[in-house]
Amino acid sequence: MPVQPSRSERVDAVIPARAGVGLKAEHIREILDTDADIGFFEVHAENYMGAGGMPHRQLEAIRERYPLSLHGVGLSIGGEQPLDAEHLKRLAVLNQRYEPGLFSEHLAWSSHDTTYYNDLLPVPYDQATLDRVCDHIDEVQEVVGRKMLLENPSTYVAFQQSTMSEIEFLKQITKRTGCGLLLDVNNVFVSCTNHERSPEDYLAEFPIADVGEIHLGGHAPDRDDEGRPLLIDAHDREVDDAVWKLYESVVLQHGALPTLVEWDNDVPVWPVLLAEAQSADRILELAREPHLKHAV
C-alpha cells in the first residue's frame, strides 16, 4: 500500500454547505490542473475497494485538496440475508484511509445468496423489514465506527405488504439507529411522479433535521404500459427544472446543506458538470443570503 499523506497534509474533512459532484476519472486531470473551485467530491465506495493502483493515486491527489464524501452502492442494507462481512470491512478500511466528511448508503437491496445485481431494488415498508434494516445499520455503524446517512430510494412499484409510509419508515430508522438521512430530491420527484403523489407534500413531511446531504440528478422520462408518465432515475443528463424548483424550496425553507450533483451515465465534459454544481451553489447562496433573491 502506498504511503498516505498525513492528516495535516489534507484539507479539512468537513463537507461545506456547498455543491459538489461525483468524481469521474476522465475529469481528474482537468480538476487538478485548473484547481477547480468546488465544495467537495463524492465517490462510490465500490470503485475503490482494491488496495492500490491508479484509482487510489488519483483519489489521494483529490483528497489532498478537497473534502470527500463516500457513497456506498452495494452493501444491500435492505436485503434479507446477513450483510457481507468482507464488503463491510472494506468499507471500514476506506473510511479510515480517506477520512470522508460524509458516509452514506441506500435504502435498497442488491444481492441475494451469491448473486449481486447492478440495481438498487426497493423494500416493503413493514415491521419485519424495518427491524432488519435497523439491525443492518447498527452493524454498519459499529464496524465502520461512524454515523452513516441513509438515502431515500427512487421507486417504481409499491408493495401490498407495506404497513407504513416511506417517510414513517425513515423516521423510525433514524430514531432507532441514530443514523442520518441523505435526501435525494430527484428520487423524490421520480417516485412521486411514478406513484401519482405530490412531491411537495412528501417533502413537507420529510424529517429535514436529520438530513446531512442532498443529492440532485437527472432522470429519463418514459411511459408505462398504460401510457402514464414513468420516470427512470437514470443519472444521464442535467437536473430537471422541476427538481431544481423542489431543491430551491427545500434549501430556502430549511437552510443550506451539502449538495451533490450526480451524473453517472453519458458523463459530460468537466465544464458541463461544473456548471451544474455552480447552479446548485447559486441556490445555496440564496439560502445563506436571502436578500439576493430579490436582486437576481
Side-chain angles (χ1 to χ4, degrees):
M1 183 180 292
V3 176
Q4 304 302 316
S6 68
R7 185 181 183 87
S8 61
E9 292 173 309
R10 291 174 169 168
V11 299
D12 198 316
V14 175
I15 305 289
R18 288 194 57 197
V21 298
L23 183 66
K24 302 301 175 190
E26 56 264 49
H27 297 154
I28 292 176
R29 187 70 268 158
E30 190 170 0
I31 291 166
L32 296 174
D33 287 348
T34 60
D35 198 19
D37 179 20
I38 195 161
F40 67 100
F41 289 97
E42 186 165 281
V43 297
H44 289 174
E46 284 71 13
N47 291 337
Y48 296 91
M49 288 196 162
M54 179 63 76
H56 281 289
R57 288 196 293 275
Q58 292 177 327
L59 188 55
E60 282 294 350
I62 290 293
R63 182 65 187 89
E64 289 176 25
R65 301 191 193 183
Y66 299 95
L68 193 69
S69 177
L70 189 62
H71 189 51
V73 297
L75 194 53
S76 198
I77 278 179
E80 293 189 355
Q81 63 194 47
L83 296 179
D84 184 325
E86 291 303 316
H87 188 108
L88 189 49
K89 287 179 183 176
R90 290 191 287 269
L91 271 179
V93 169
L94 276 174
N95 271 279
Q96 293 166 1
R97 182 172 182 174
Y98 288 103
E99 301 173 311
L102 295 169
F103 162 56
S104 54
E105 262 285 351
H106 294 85
L107 176 56
W109 64 279
S110 57
S111 64
H112 179 71
D113 198 6
T114 59
T115 301
Y116 290 83
Y117 304 100
N118 191 29
D119 290 296
L120 296 167
L121 300 164
V123 298
Y125 302 133
D126 60 10
Q127 190 63 46
T129 309
L130 177 64
D131 292 343
R132 185 173 67 249
V133 169
C134 288
D135 288 346
H136 286 168
I137 291 174
D138 286 342
E139 182 180 357
V140 172
Q141 293 186 138
E142 181 176 349
V143 173
V144 175
R146 60 176 300 172
K147 179 177 180 176
M148 62 165 277
L149 305 180
L150 186 68
E151 178 176 342
N152 60 293
S154 56
T155 59
Y156 309 89
V157 296
F159 292 89
Q160 285 188 333
Q161 71 191 80
S162 291
T163 57
M164 62 188 88
S165 70
E166 181 173 288
I167 288 179
E168 180 59 27
F169 193 82
L170 292 169
K171 287 180 177 177
Q172 288 290 329
I173 289 172
T174 58
K175 181 179 179 181
R176 287 176 52 172
T177 69
C179 79
L181 296 174
L182 192 166
L183 171 59
D184 190 314
V185 179
N186 183 60
N187 285 357
V188 171
F189 187 74
V190 166
S191 295
C192 287
T193 299
N194 292 342
H195 298 301
E196 299 181 321
R197 299 195 297 255
S198 162
E200 290 82 5
D201 289 349
Y202 180 99
L203 288 170
E205 296 182 17
F206 201 87
I208 298 291
D210 291 322
V211 174
E213 183 181 355
I214 292 176
H215 273 185
L216 301 170
H219 57 253
D222 202 342
R223 294 278 174 180
D224 67 14
D225 292 342
E226 298 179 354
R228 293 174 299 196
L230 175 69
L231 300 184
I232 309 298
D233 182 28
H235 294 185
D236 64 347
R237 64 197 68 196
E238 296 90 347
V239 177
D240 189 87
D241 287 345
V243 175
W244 280 123
K245 290 179 181 176
L246 288 173
Y247 169 65
E248 181 173 331
S249 71
V250 169
V251 298
L252 290 184
Q253 183 176 354
H254 300 284
L257 285 165
T259 299
L260 180 89
V261 176
E262 297 181 295
W263 197 325
D264 298 316
N265 299 303
D266 297 331
V267 176
V269 295
W270 170 246
V272 174
L273 187 55
L274 178 61
E276 287 283 277
Q278 290 169 335
S279 294
D281 261 335
R282 285 193 287 273
I283 293 173
L284 290 168
E285 187 62 23
L286 293 178
R288 284 187 288 266
E289 303 290 344
H291 65 280
L292 295 177
K293 185 174 184 179
H294 304 291
V296 172

